[in-house]
Amino acid sequence: MAKKPGTNPKGEFAFFNVFYEDDSQRSNRRVPSELLGGLDGDEPARNFIMEQDREIAEKSGRPALEIKRIERVGVKKK
């Protein structure tokens, strides 16, 4: 059954492209919006994604990759 319009909250997550030291990329990683903003800007997103990567690495048995940089999706570069 289809959802009623307006029941999906917008802005609940911010999306980031993550670039790793081995030049691989993961797109559209979701980060809760309530973690972002303030004086730290997008830095809490890096910590959140690093924690996700650690959990994934533990489950997969592979080492977590080192993050080179993150970019918020949909934000124009200056």
Side-chain angles (χ1 to χ4, degrees), residues 3-44:
K3 288 184 175 182
K4 292 182 181 179
T7 58
N8 188 13
K10 303 290 184 213
E12 186 175 342
F13 293 99
F15 295 91
F16 288 86
N17 292 330
V18 183
F19 300 89
Y20 294 95
E21 290 294 329
D22 68 349
D23 293 327
S24 63
Q25 175 186 349
R26 305 290 184 273
S27 299
N28 295 324
R29 297 285 298 270
R30 293 189 324 172
V31 175
S33 294
E34 68 248 9
L35 296 178
L36 306 175
L39 297 176
D40 293 332
D42 288 343
E43 190 59 32

Side-chain angles (χ1 to χ4, degrees), residues 7 11 19 28 31 39-40 49 55 60 62 70 76 78:
T7 58
F19 300 89
N28 295 324
V31 175
L39 297 176
D40 293 332
I49 291 170
E55 291 173 12
S60 69
R62 296 181 181 169
I70 62 171
K76 293 182 180 179
K78 293 180 182 179

Side-chain angles (χ1 to χ4, degrees), residues 50-61:
M50 285 172 51
E51 184 59 34
Q52 281 182 338
D53 285 351
R54 268 194 291 276
E55 291 173 12
I56 292 167
E58 285 177 13
K59 291 177 184 177
S60 69

